[in-house]
């Protein structure tokens, strides 16, 4: 379960901290928020693979938060609430939650449900067809979110830069010629695209490499093209 990020949203700090302990023991990184508004902010700051979301919270409750998230993202959501009535469970599922756990919860059951949702979302690609989450030594590509992160921090790429990174990361180890990169990223035939591609590669390296002159990820294969190191 390494390299997975779970957002835990609950106004009770003790519950947030307890869930963090359970999930960290499984190798899962936990991001915490105390209400729905803070949760939305965290989603913009991190690549999140699953959300555990309380229903009864101040400012923005779990139902409204789920509805808002579902406007743009298909991240799995597990509703967590002290309410056990069927109407609350049904409402949560109707607005887009994927699962429902009532408080007090069994930690082993919660972990099992988290793992099940992560497998469906990441491994089987249930939510976004063939979209994947690819991690290469801390550089992570989330195709569903169209987002690249480096050690958990979002890398701000232009749409074209993202297309280049996506092409290379989804085919890690394969060398692409400059013409291939141009035609796939720009969706048009390349006519002397060397300078254009080189400028974009340089900008990408400045964003993802510690030392752009000695790249760890995006390598040049002289006389052929570029590749993303496995």
């Amino acid at each position: 379960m390494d390299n997975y990020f779970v957002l835990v949203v609950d106004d009770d700090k003790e519950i947030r901290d307890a869930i963090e302990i359970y999930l960290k023991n499984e190798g899962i990184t936990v991001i915490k928020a105390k209400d729905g508004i803070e949760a939305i902010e965290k989603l913009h700051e991190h690549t999140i693979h699953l959300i555990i979301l309380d229903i009864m919270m101040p400012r923005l409750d779990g139902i409204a938060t789920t509805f808002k998230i579902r406007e743009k993202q298909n991240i799995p959501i597990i509703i967590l609430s002290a309410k056990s009535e069927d109407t609350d469970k049904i409402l949560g599922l109707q607005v887009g939650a994927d699962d429902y756990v009532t408080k007090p919860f069994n930690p082993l059951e919660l972990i099992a449900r988290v793992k099940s949702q992560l497998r469906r979302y990441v491994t089987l690609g249930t939510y976004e067809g063939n979209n994947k989450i690819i991690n290469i030594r801390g550089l992570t590509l989330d195709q569903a979110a169209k987002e690249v992160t480096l050690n958990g921090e979002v890398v701000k790429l232009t749409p074209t830069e993202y297309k280049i990174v996506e092409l290379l990361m989804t085919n890690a180890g394969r060398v692409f010629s400059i013409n291939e990169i141009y035609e796939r990223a720009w969706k048009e035939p390349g006519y002397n695209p060397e300078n254009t591609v080189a400028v974009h590669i340089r900008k990408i390296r400045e964003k993802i490499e510690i030392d752009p002159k000695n790249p760890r990820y995006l390598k040049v294969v002289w006389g052929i093209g570029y590749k993303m190191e496995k």
Side-chain angles (χ1 to χ4, degrees), residues 8-187:
V8 177
V9 191
D10 198 301
D11 60 334
D12 189 323
K13 183 179 184 300
E14 291 186 2
I15 291 177
R16 294 198 304 270
D17 292 345
I19 294 175
E20 180 179 27
I21 292 171
Y22 303 144
L23 296 185
K24 284 182 72 174
N25 288 337
E26 301 297 319
I28 296 170
T29 300
V30 172
I31 308 295
K32 295 182 286 187
K34 62 181 178 296
D35 56 46
I37 292 176
E38 187 176 353
I40 299 298
E41 294 172 353
K42 297 291 185 183
L43 281 173
H44 289 116
E45 298 171 359
H46 303 274
T47 295
I48 302 296
H49 305 117
L50 181 141
I51 303 168
I52 299 173
L53 185 64
D54 186 31
I55 286 184
M56 299 299 293
M57 296 184 297
R59 298 208 296 173
L60 194 66
D61 66 28
I63 299 298
T65 303
T66 299
F67 187 79
K68 196 170 185 63
I69 291 170
R70 281 292 174 262
E71 291 177 350
K72 295 182 178 180
Q73 294 174 290
N74 288 320
I75 300 169
I77 297 174
I78 298 176
I79 290 287
L80 184 66
S81 176
K83 293 187 175 182
S84 59
E85 293 86 349
D86 285 341
T87 52
D88 297 304
K89 177 179 179 180
I90 291 169
L91 180 58
L93 296 173
Q94 282 180 338
V95 297
D98 300 282
D99 206 347
Y100 191 99
V101 177
T102 56
K103 300 176 186 177
F105 55 86
N106 181 323
L108 294 178
E109 178 187 1
L110 179 63
I111 290 169
R113 290 175 183 267
V114 166
K115 288 183 174 180
S116 175
Q117 291 297 331
L118 285 173
R119 278 195 300 270
R120 290 175 58 198
Y121 182 62
V122 178
T123 306
L124 302 180
T126 303
Y127 295 88
E128 292 289 341
N130 293 320
N131 285 340
K132 301 176 182 177
I133 293 176
I134 301 167
N135 185 282
I136 301 175
R137 301 187 310 282
L139 183 67
T140 302
L141 171 76
D142 186 335
Q143 287 186 299
K146 301 297 182 187
E147 186 174 79
V148 173
T149 58
L150 181 61
N151 297 323
E153 297 294 324
V154 175
V155 179
K156 295 182 179 180
L157 299 173
T158 67
T160 301
E161 289 169 358
Y162 173 83
K163 289 177 183 177
I164 294 172
V165 173
E166 182 181 48
L167 171 66
L168 297 178
M169 287 190 70
T170 54
N171 297 277
R174 175 182 167 185
V175 181
F176 286 85
S177 70
I178 291 173
N179 277 329
E180 283 182 300
I181 293 172
Y182 186 92
E183 289 174 4
R184 295 217 190 184
W186 277 264
K187 303 296 184 184

